Amino acid sequence: MHELIEGRRSARGYDTTAEISVDDLTSVLDAGRWAPTWGRVQPVRFVVGRRADDTFTGLTETLTRGNAGWAPASAALILVCTAAEPDDEKARTYAAVDVGLAVSQMILQANALGYNAHPMAGFDAETAVRRFAIPDDRRPLVLLGLGALADPEQVATEIRERDERPRTRLPLDEVAFAETWGHPFTSAPRP
């Protein structure tokens, strides 16, 4: 596995003084813009704030309790939106898939530039729609925090302990199947 994927983690202990340059932030946005998209629709849109600007402040106001304690330490916040498509289930589904692809590429680009990226569902979408005049044909799905990691000794104990937990995932034989559902895919050669 590539080191950018293997080393990726959604940390919370950000350095409150670190900044992200416009060039680096633009690079992260471009990574999302160039993500694969269903049917060439390109439904993904971004609301972008850098720490201390009005957009950033507005995005922090949408945070729910779990994220409000750490996410304002981000150097940038990006609200990732997509097409609403209320009457077309297939288009609505793939618009959400496009967001996932864009966010994934943005996370990897941020990591390649030396930042950490943390995707969040813990924000109030209705507040974001009102605050940023997001049109009815769009829906906010993910809030992405970007930041530089702080010295672990400089962050709250509960954040440090959570960030230091080992990163784990289910084993491959519990998530990848062959022949029938539940029958593990194996990389062993066939007899």
Side-chain angles (χ1 to χ4, degrees):
M1 183 174 0
H2 194 281
E3 63 189 45
L4 284 174
I5 298 168
E6 189 173 14
R8 184 218 59 83
R9 63 182 305 116
S10 298
R12 290 172 173 78
Y14 287 163
D15 180 342
T16 60
T17 64
E19 296 184 7
I20 186 169
S21 71
V22 171
D23 287 346
D24 284 352
L25 186 52
T26 299
S27 179
V28 170
L29 295 167
D30 268 338
R33 183 173 66 95
W34 279 100
T37 181
W38 173 67
R40 299 183 189 171
V41 176
Q42 301 179 51
V44 177
R45 302 292 186 272
F46 310 111
V47 176
V48 184
R50 291 175 68 209
R51 188 184 308 116
D53 71 19
D54 288 342
T55 305
F56 186 94
T57 300
L59 289 169
T60 63
E61 292 167 0
T62 72
L63 293 166
T64 56
R65 191 180 66 188
N67 294 322
W70 68 268
S74 301
L77 291 170
I78 304 168
L79 182 64
V80 187
C81 304
T82 193
E85 303 291 352
D87 300 324
D88 186 340
E89 184 179 342
K90 186 175 182 180
R92 183 176 174 82
T93 297
Y94 283 101
V97 169
D98 284 1
V99 164
L101 292 166
V103 168
S104 184
Q105 288 193 185
M106 294 165 76
I107 289 169
L108 294 177
Q109 183 64 26
N111 285 357
L113 294 170
Y115 301 98
N116 183 269
H118 188 121
M120 297 170 267
F123 68 96
D124 186 319
E126 290 179 18
T127 299
V129 166
R130 285 190 307 275
R131 172 64 173 80
F132 298 105
I134 297 171
D136 291 341
D137 66 342
R138 299 289 160 181
R139 61 186 169 129
L141 281 186
V142 175
L143 186 58
L144 184 64
L146 302 175
L149 296 178
D151 177 336
E153 297 303 316
Q154 302 301 315
V155 297
T157 302
E158 63 274 7
I159 291 173
R160 182 177 64 247
E161 288 173 352
R162 190 166 183 177
D163 282 357
E164 290 175 349
R165 287 182 198 153
R167 185 171 163 249
T168 62
R169 291 293 184 267
L170 294 171
L172 193 58
D173 64 358
E174 290 183 28
V175 299
F177 309 125
E179 298 175 29
T180 61
W181 188 268
H183 185 269
F185 165 81
T186 179
S187 59
R190 292 181 181 204

